[in-house]
Amino acid sequence: MPMQPWFTDAKLGIFIHYGIYAVDGVTESWAFYHGQVSHEQYMKQLEGFTAAHYDPDVWAELFARTGARYAVLTARHHDGVALWDTAQDGLSVARHTPAGRDLVTGYVEAMREHGLKVGLYYSHSDWNHPDYASVIHPDMPPEEATAHPYVAPRDGQERPQAWERYLAYRTAQVRELVTAHHPDLLWFDGEWERSEEQWRLDELADAILSVSPDTVLNGRMLSQGDYATPEQGLPVTTPPGPWELCLTINDSWGFQHHDHNHKSVRLLVRYFTETIAMGGNLLLDVGPREDGTIPDEQVARLEGLGDWIARHADAVYDTRAGLPAGHHYGPSTLSADRRTLYLVCLDAPTEGVSVRGVRNTVKRVTVLGTGTALAHRTVGGLGAVPGVLWIDAPHGSDVDRHATVLALELEGELDLYRGFGRD
């Protein structure tokens, strides 16, 4: 199936890690998996999850103001606690917490009301389901087969019938989400714990797309996925095909009381521009408190990023990946008609900004957001080898405190020299 064009045009999405782990502020699901807290202590958080101030309309308004075009909510993490009133046997906030209600439907409605595409996160794995730890990944070394009792049978003896029950449960839950909400995107996780054949991902994809044929599937559906999902660090080489960078605002996915190591707005602008310059989307994560409110520090970062995007929207939306590395010392994007090149200056230029390899005549250079025209000239060049384009540095109010963007209007579509120069 061809990739849905909305995804590659979106540029920014918001990841929402929301679940019972916010009660004590522990690592989502992993806290009991790694023994940071006991399983009993982790699950006791069910008693404190209230969603008392959960208002997805407030979320959606904030995300839209940030400039996001889609959002992804953790409908069910590895701990198996569903955020909706699932009809399957298993844990849910509707039946097992004071929240006592479905939290997914309101989220879906609010996002669509504010024009955002709807994404739902669902973990293939469920470390609380009694039938989950019943088989072993075929590539797992024997000495590791029973290392994690939440994943594999303790005695190393597989129980195929239990695994069949788990797959039926997994597929039924996914079908509930798809039938009820027709999500624009399903963001799967936990795929590493079984092989693609064990997960029966071809059957799962068929079950999804037969009901909602336009739903985008992330790369953790393995061969059935539509795009790649690197986490926490920009790839050095652009992934083949569509992709998104998943990034936390601080160091945590879910809410953690003591994590105040929030990235600055300037750093988030840098991550964002470098990502879209490589043709990807940024999926920026927030971790709401258990009551459903997003911490002020995270709101401030989203608002700051949104302010920058609003001032530089022409360089963000309806653009494609810009110049390859080496042509400009910073990120860049290219308009869809390939006639305007946007140069991002992450640091305030001093004498000038240089661009190499552009064969086109540059009709005009302006500072995006202020419209100030900048003088420019080409120095050098020989035959088919173009000279270096030098642009006078912007000054004063034309310099953005986070990143300045220069718009180069070209004569014709971008014609880029990629050679080695004259021998």
Side-chain angles (χ1 to χ4, degrees):
M1 182 184 71
M3 185 57 161
Q4 295 297 316
W6 72 260
F7 180 84
T8 49
D9 290 341
K11 308 305 179 185
L12 179 65
I14 304 297
F15 215 171
I16 311 154
H17 275 70
Y18 186 41
I20 66 168
Y21 35 85
V23 173
D24 291 341
V26 297
T27 307
E28 58 292 332
S29 302
W30 294 98
F32 74 85
Y33 179 94
H34 288 308
Q36 295 163 346
V37 300
S38 68
H39 181 265
E40 180 183 9
Q41 182 180 345
Y42 183 93
M43 299 312 297
K44 191 174 178 58
Q45 292 177 106
L46 288 165
E47 301 172 10
F49 187 78
T50 67
H53 300 292
Y54 172 65
D55 187 344
D57 193 66
V58 172
W59 287 5
E61 190 277 332
L62 171 63
F63 302 161
R65 198 155 25 98
T66 302
R69 297 291 175 85
Y70 66 107
V72 179
L73 172 68
T74 50
R76 198 200 79 178
H77 208 268
H78 314 316
D79 59 15
V81 181
L83 293 191
W84 77 100
D85 191 10
T86 177
Q88 311 309 310
D89 291 336
L91 297 166
S92 77
V93 297
R95 295 197 303 270
H96 298 96
T97 76
R101 64 194 190 280
D102 167 26
L103 303 180
V104 172
T105 299
Y107 155 81
V108 171
E109 292 173 348
M111 296 303 142
R112 289 188 168 141
E113 179 68 24
H114 285 79
L116 280 79
K117 297 292 186 181
V118 169
L120 294 173
Y121 167 113
Y122 185 90
S123 174
H124 292 295
S125 55
D126 183 341
W127 297 332
N128 267 311
H129 195 282
D131 291 323
Y132 181 68
S134 54
V135 296
I136 300 168
H137 193 298
D139 296 331
M140 184 181 291
E143 64 273 14
E144 296 180 16
T146 58
H148 294 289
Y150 298 118
V151 176
R154 292 173 183 267
D155 58 4
Q157 298 300 309
E158 296 190 301
R159 295 179 289 121
Q161 290 182 331
W163 182 243
E164 291 298 322
R165 289 193 299 269
Y166 178 76
L167 288 178
Y169 160 81
R170 181 275 319 259
T171 301
Q173 281 201 326
V174 172
R175 189 177 285 114
E176 287 178 6
L177 293 172
V178 174
T179 302
H181 304 299
H182 293 267
D184 301 288
L185 186 154
L186 279 173
W187 210 104
F188 287 94
D189 202 5
E191 81 294 343
W192 62 87
E193 293 189 337
R194 302 286 187 264
S195 69
E196 180 161 359
E197 293 72 22
Q198 286 175 316
W199 287 126
R200 295 186 195 160
L201 295 186
D202 54 346
E203 296 177 17
L204 181 61
D206 287 344
I208 294 166
L209 300 177
S210 65
V211 176
S212 185
D214 293 332
T215 296
V216 174
L217 306 176
N218 76 330
R220 299 174 194 199
M221 280 288 283
L222 302 177
S223 70
Q224 303 298 319
D226 296 311
Y227 71 95
T229 56
E231 291 185 25
Q232 295 288 54
L234 273 163
V236 176
T237 302
T238 302
W243 63 282
E244 71 185 0
L245 170 65
C246 309
L247 184 74
T248 53
I249 289 181
N250 52 10
D251 294 330
S252 310
W253 296 104
F255 174 72
Q256 295 196 27
H257 302 80
H258 304 297
D259 185 356
H260 302 294
N261 189 31
H262 294 88
K263 298 173 179 66
S264 66
V265 172
R266 190 170 186 272
L267 187 55
L268 292 175
V269 168
R270 183 174 190 127
Y271 272 108
F272 177 62
T273 56
E274 290 184 339
T275 299
I276 65 173
M278 295 173 68
N281 292 346
L282 178 64
L283 186 63
L284 185 60
D285 180 75
V286 297
R289 301 181 186 91
E290 66 80 18
D291 67 359
T293 58
I294 298 174
D296 290 345
E297 300 94 334
Q298 298 192 2
V299 171
R301 267 61 176 189
L302 293 183
E303 290 178 335
L305 177 60
D307 288 344
W308 186 91
I309 291 174
R311 292 193 301 273
H312 303 93
D314 287 349
V316 174
Y317 305 114
D318 201 26
T319 64
R320 302 295 179 263
L323 299 170
H327 290 269
H328 161 62
Y329 292 104
S332 62
T333 59
L334 184 64
S335 62
D337 65 5
R338 299 182 56 83
R339 292 172 178 266
T340 305
L341 184 61
Y342 299 100
L343 306 179
V344 180
C345 302
L346 298 172
D347 298 304
T350 51
E351 183 177 353
V353 176
S354 67
V355 186
R356 290 180 283 178
V358 175
R359 288 195 178 105
N360 307 69
T361 297
V362 177
K363 297 192 295 185
R364 195 162 76 116
V365 179
T366 56
V367 180
L368 198 60
T370 69
T372 300
L374 300 177
H376 56 92
R377 64 198 181 281
T378 299
V379 177
L382 181 63
V385 182
V388 177
L389 175 68
W390 284 95
I391 304 165
D392 285 357
H395 297 287
S397 60
D398 287 322
V399 176
D400 188 278
R401 64 194 182 107
H402 299 309
T404 305
V405 181
L406 309 183
L408 281 62
E409 298 176 28
L410 308 176
E411 189 75 57
E413 296 185 12
L414 176 64
D415 181 10
L416 201 59
Y417 175 75
R418 296 285 288 156
F420 297 101
R422 187 181 177 195
D423 292 338

